[in-house]
Amino acid sequence: MATEQPDTFDEVNWESVRSSSGIVNLALKTKLMLITTLPLLALWLYDRVAVGQREKTFVQLGKDLGLSGPFETLGLTWNPAGLDYIFIFTIFLFAFYMILPLYENPRMTRYYWKEFKRNRPAVVSLVWLAFVFVVGIIGPLFIDKPEPDILKSFQPPVYATVDTANIVQCVGEASGGTCQGTWQHPLGTTGSGRDVLAFMVHGTTITMKIAFITTLIVALIGISVGTISAYSGGWVDETLMRMTDIVLAFPTLIFFLMITYIYGASLGLFIVIFATFAWGGAARYIRSKALSVAEEEFIDATRISGASRYRVVRRHIVPNTASSIITNLTLLVPGFLLAEAQLSFLGLGDAGLLSWGQLIASGRSSLEYAPWIILAPGFILFFTILAFNFLGDALLDALNPEAESEAEK
Amino acid sequence: MGMAQYISARIVYAVVVSMIIVTASFLLLYFSPNPNIQAAAQQAALGGENPEEAVERVKEARGLNDPIHVQYMQFVENVYTLDWGWSETRSEPVTDAIVSSFKYTAQYSVPWTVLSVLIAPTLGIYSASRMYTWKDHLATGFAFFGYAIPNFFFAILLVLVFGVWFEIFPITYDTTVPILSLENAWQLVLPVFVLVTGSIGGTMRVARNESAEFMNADFMKTAKAKGVKPTRRYTHHVLRPTLVPLSTSLVSALFALFVGASVLVEEVFAIPGLGRLLVQSIISQDTSLVLGTTLVFTFVGVVGNLVEDLVFTMIDPRISYDDR
């Protein structure tokens, strides 16, 4: 994707090119990745080995480090689970391998932005997704998990009212048989008395987890299978592509329902199952792209220069298929978000999870008098899915100059 | 490879995929706790008997002590001879339960499929013939909306607006009305509408982009110069080449929705069809019924893929079968 080319050939600083190819001088992104991943790994190991099932990781860590006091004042009582570690890891990957290169190559970034900017819906989508991302990452730090409180069930949103016959107690003003909404619960509460806004903020984190972790898994498998298949050819190609066919034909949702039936539902299981059956399209796409790249003469040149097979694939084929990968993944994510919401809605998701789908599901039986429980998360989900679709379309245009661009015609 | 060979290879392949799915189901069930055994053990414990003996008895009666390959062969044989067992919760054979629910699924699936097949290409070509006018933008906007809005959420919205607020349509499906009656058609309007919006979104986009390619093709100019009427130009010259990519996209969209969204739409509108049967069987832990309904859906998926490939080969004579 981002090629490190200076404006003109004679401005190439060969000193820097030579020094950056050394083994000791790892690229900045690799260094940063190591610096951030190692503590994360250490924390994970610590969590596995030293922290008991019922103890909170950071409370225990505070005790062990003798820093209970400062930790308490900071409010550090976080208890990360397995998924959280993978989620943080993916965010680091995203930051250092997507955002950092864009920052390091301002010229290409400007070019991409210029192309991208033409598509106005996509810019709006990007802003919306950035907002969802920020809320998902830092929202839960400021807003506590919504606790059920049966006395506060079905409180209406601000400026809305509900018939007092349907609720236990009215937090706001009650007059003439109707209950007014209050700013205490700007978007109302659910039937179990959970605040809808807080629920949605925590749901955003779940959404981000699904989006990032599935993307990581799909990208890993899709890129490996696609490029290996294209570059190896022969029976390896044939076997891998037949496998891809099966994965593509596999009815994931139905299969997942069966697994849920036997083992019970959890977010981790959802992510793993859906991601391991979603790479088919990506692999096929990347294979066809990689096949055309492998025909290029610079690949031959690289090979003649003595580059290993791994290096050719890693340094030349994968970067050249990056635009297809990114577009394909952007268009895959909404499917996962939808699947999670659908499963929750059917009552087959993890009922303890604070996801948008669960919120929609919780408002099902009270649709007639408390529609806000479904409407708020439903529209947010719709906008997010729409944004991913618009963004995917725009990326297709911006990253792939050969593709017919709708905005340009 | 000739066309006949290609088709037979495709069919063999579909059988292989179905075998893989059946095997996966068998392995899942084999390695998971069996609710029947647990129930027997519980009953024995409550009745003061030895639970282990009861477990042994049930295992013996169900052939669970046989070696794995014997059980597997038995399982495969039962699956392919449609001997899918007895549904405890519905007190009827699984196949009967599936057939009776299929009646309801078919009632909305048939009109929905017909409408999608008619509307998607028409709208796409209409859009392409008026490219970049407000009509095109409206149609494209509609397509994006239908594609992106979660079907079940759209269904809920429609129920809320037209069922609860305006009370035009019934909120829940009434099974007592005769199939060929106005009331039945009326109560199926919303589910069909939701599914049509969901399925034509993507397909209409394909139809639009593909037919746009042919709108200014040489043969269109020739036709125009010869005085062929616009409608005939679109139906005879643009529609046919567009149908090739469109058919695959349409078939796959229909099957994807049949397997995925129909479950949700049935759930929202309380239609007692196949999807609802599956969800109910999972919630009530009825193993035979879960297995039976999942098999129906997976087979539909496999057949759908097969049909998709075959349609593709039949419509487009230009495809070479040498490389896939």
Side-chain angles (χ1 to χ4, degrees):
Chain A
M1 186 185 89
T3 47
E4 295 171 18
Q5 280 173 356
D7 288 327
T8 51
F9 181 74
D10 51 326
E11 282 177 24
V12 173
N13 183 354
W14 291 106
E15 270 315 301
S16 73
V17 173
R18 207 161 298 136
S19 67
S20 71
S21 61
I23 302 165
V24 192
N25 291 325
L26 289 166
L28 179 62
K29 53 189 181 189
T30 321
K31 276 186 204 150
L32 281 170
M33 201 62 219
L34 281 177
I35 290 170
T36 47
T37 308
L38 288 177
L40 191 70
L41 201 64
L43 187 66
W44 178 71
L45 282 174
Y46 172 75
D47 197 359
R48 287 301 299 266
V49 177
V51 182
Q53 284 274 315
R54 281 148 200 275
E55 285 148 5
K56 288 185 168 175
T57 312
F58 272 82
V59 175
Q60 182 71 24
L61 185 68
K63 268 186 213 153
D64 287 353
L65 294 178
L67 289 170
S68 289
F71 270 34
E72 217 160 285
T73 41
L74 284 169
L76 259 179
T77 54
W78 191 41
N79 186 25
L83 268 186
D84 293 314
Y85 291 108
I86 307 176
F87 179 49
I88 297 171
F89 175 70
T90 16
I91 291 196
F92 286 150
L93 266 184
F94 176 72
F96 299 140
Y97 285 84
M98 288 278 298
I99 306 294
L100 191 70
L102 284 179
Y103 174 77
E104 280 180 337
N105 297 295
R107 195 182 65 92
M108 280 314 275
T109 310
R110 267 200 303 277
Y111 168 74
Y112 289 140
W113 177 243
K114 204 184 96 206
E115 288 291 310
F116 182 79
K117 205 169 54 174
R118 290 197 228 188
N119 195 333
R120 227 171 305 149
V123 176
V124 177
S125 302
L126 190 67
V127 172
W128 169 254
L129 289 181
F131 171 72
V132 168
F133 179 74
V134 171
V135 169
I137 301 285
I138 61 171
L141 300 178
F142 295 103
I143 296 175
D144 291 333
K145 273 194 176 166
E147 294 301 332
D149 180 357
I150 205 67
L151 289 175
K152 288 183 178 174
S153 65
F154 298 126
Q155 295 299 322
V158 207
Y159 304 124
T161 55
V162 69
D163 200 315
T164 40
N166 293 321
I167 58 172
V168 183
Q169 194 187 333
C170 186
V171 176
E173 262 175 58
S175 59
T178 54
C179 173
Q180 293 277 341
T182 56
W183 277 108
Q184 205 179 330
H185 301 289
L187 290 177
T189 60
T190 67
S192 56
R194 284 179 156 138
D195 184 60
V196 172
L197 184 67
F199 205 128
M200 275 167 56
V201 169
H202 283 266
T204 314
T205 315
I206 305 282
T207 302
M208 281 294 118
K209 272 186 201 167
I210 297 173
F212 274 92
I213 302 176
T214 47
T215 306
L216 174 74
I217 300 177
V218 172
L220 273 181
I221 307 180
I223 294 172
S224 321
V225 172
T227 46
I228 291 174
S229 188
Y231 198 71
S232 308
W235 65 270
V236 176
D237 181 25
E238 194 60 26
T239 323
L240 286 177
M241 281 300 108
R242 286 286 88 84
M243 248 171 72
T244 312
D245 281 345
I246 291 172
V247 166
L248 277 172
F250 214 79
T252 316
L253 185 71
I254 305 289
F255 188 69
F256 182 73
L257 287 183
M258 234 179 112
I259 292 189
T260 315
Y261 167 67
I262 296 168
Y263 296 103
S266 76
L267 185 64
L269 195 64
F270 169 83
I271 289 177
V272 168
I273 298 282
F274 271 79
T276 36
F277 284 102
W279 53 265
R284 242 188 211 182
Y285 202 50
I286 291 161
R287 174 178 172 272
S288 65
K289 191 82 207 251
L291 271 182
S292 64
V293 173
E295 295 289 306
E296 301 275 344
E297 278 169 10
F298 70 86
I299 297 289
D300 289 336
T302 321
R303 222 177 311 169
I304 292 164
S305 317
S308 69
R309 192 169 259 228
Y310 172 78
R311 192 181 160 88
V312 173
V313 172
R314 167 72 189 82
R315 301 297 295 229
H316 297 279
I317 292 186
V318 172
N320 275 297
T321 54
S323 68
S324 329
I325 298 168
I326 291 169
T327 315
N328 192 282
L329 290 176
T330 317
L331 293 172
L332 259 182
V333 169
F336 297 125
L337 301 185
L338 190 59
E340 193 278 326
Q342 288 176 335
L343 285 167
S344 307
F345 179 72
L346 290 175
L348 301 171
D350 177 0
L353 201 65
L354 295 173
S355 73
W356 292 345
Q358 287 297 341
L359 187 55
I360 297 178
S362 73
R364 252 185 92 186
S365 49
S366 53
L367 181 66
E368 280 154 57
Y369 51 90
W372 60 84
I373 303 172
I374 280 188
L375 289 181
F379 276 112
I380 300 289
L381 178 69
F382 171 43
F383 291 145
T384 310
I385 290 176
L386 198 65
F388 270 110
N389 279 317
F390 275 136
L391 192 68
D393 265 22
L395 286 177
L396 194 65
D397 290 346
L399 295 179
N400 192 357
E402 296 141 44
E404 296 251 325
S405 161
E406 203 177 310
E408 280 172 40
K409 269 191 219 161
Chain B
M1 218 195 305
M3 185 162 157
Q5 239 179 319
Y6 174 79
I7 290 176
S8 41
R10 244 12 257 194
I11 291 173
V12 169
Y13 177 67
V15 172
V16 170
V17 171
S18 85
M19 281 303 294
I20 289 175
I21 292 167
V22 168
T23 311
S25 326
F26 170 75
L27 289 176
L28 268 180
L29 286 180
Y30 185 82
F31 289 109
S32 67
N34 190 329
N36 286 315
I37 293 179
Q38 286 163 344
Q42 219 162 24
Q43 219 160 26
L46 286 175
E49 290 172 55
N50 185 3
E52 308 218 331
E53 268 173 39
V55 166
E56 245 353 90
R57 251 200 327 271
V58 174
K59 275 190 171 175
E60 196 61 50
R62 288 173 177 268
L64 293 177
N65 283 335
D66 294 342
I68 182 164
H69 64 274
V70 177
Q71 285 191 47
Y72 176 65
M73 292 313 290
Q74 186 62 40
F75 182 83
V76 172
E77 190 191 319
N78 287 348
V79 166
Y80 286 102
T81 51
L82 294 183
D83 180 6
W84 289 2
W86 183 264
S87 159
E88 298 287 342
T89 49
R90 292 177 61 109
S91 305
E92 56 180 338
V94 169
T95 34
D96 286 4
I98 289 173
V99 169
S100 65
S101 344
F102 184 72
K103 202 172 69 191
Y104 294 104
T105 303
Q107 278 181 40
Y108 69 84
S109 296
V110 172
W112 152 59
T113 312
V114 172
L115 283 175
S116 306
V117 169
L118 289 179
I119 296 177
T122 319
L123 203 62
I125 293 181
Y126 175 85
S127 202
S129 69
R130 285 159 182 74
M131 203 157 251
Y132 305 117
T133 63
W134 65 269
K135 285 173 187 158
D136 172 35
H137 288 308
L138 189 71
T140 311
F142 176 69
F144 248 114
F145 171 81
Y147 182 71
I149 194 160
N151 277 304
F152 73 102
F153 178 60
F154 191 38
I156 295 175
L157 271 187
L158 290 178
V159 167
L160 181 65
V161 174
F162 295 107
V164 178
W165 289 348
F166 292 119
E167 295 178 3
I168 302 172
F169 292 100
I171 298 174
T172 48
Y173 184 82
D174 184 1
T175 49
T176 55
V177 299
I179 292 177
L180 287 173
S181 66
L182 208 60
E183 288 122 277
N184 195 29
W186 190 245
Q187 66 181 353
L188 287 174
V189 166
L190 287 187
V192 169
F193 182 71
V194 169
L195 287 168
V196 168
T197 348
S199 64
I200 65 170
T203 337
M204 182 253 159
R205 294 270 302 165
V206 175
R208 177 185 175 276
N209 296 343
E210 290 293 332
S211 59
E213 228 175 276
F214 304 110
M215 280 297 167
N216 292 319
D218 286 346
F219 60 80
M220 279 297 275
K221 287 176 190 154
T222 317
K224 198 175 179 181
K226 282 163 72 182
V228 179
K229 290 208 175 67
T231 358
R232 198 185 150 79
R233 282 211 303 273
Y234 294 136
T235 52
H236 283 69
H237 299 276
V238 173
L239 185 61
R240 272 186 67 186
T242 309
L243 271 181
V244 178
L246 187 63
S247 60
T248 32
S249 131
L250 192 63
V251 171
S252 62
L254 289 180
F255 276 104
L257 269 192
F258 177 76
V259 175
S262 68
V263 180
L264 294 142
V265 169
E266 281 177 13
E267 196 63 22
V268 174
F269 293 102
I271 303 171
L274 274 181
R276 208 169 151 81
L277 188 69
L278 172 60
V279 174
Q280 297 291 343
S281 65
I282 290 177
I283 290 170
S284 56
Q285 301 275 299
D286 187 340
T287 311
S288 328
L289 200 55
V290 174
L291 191 64
T293 32
T294 41
L295 282 178
V296 168
F297 278 111
T298 44
F299 283 149
V300 166
V302 171
V303 172
N305 271 303
L306 179 68
V307 170
E308 192 183 321
D309 281 349
L310 294 189
V311 165
F312 203 83
T313 55
M314 280 167 199
I315 288 185
D316 195 349
R318 293 168 301 186
I319 293 176
S320 108
Y321 305 102
D322 291 330
D323 37 55
R324 246 188 300 287

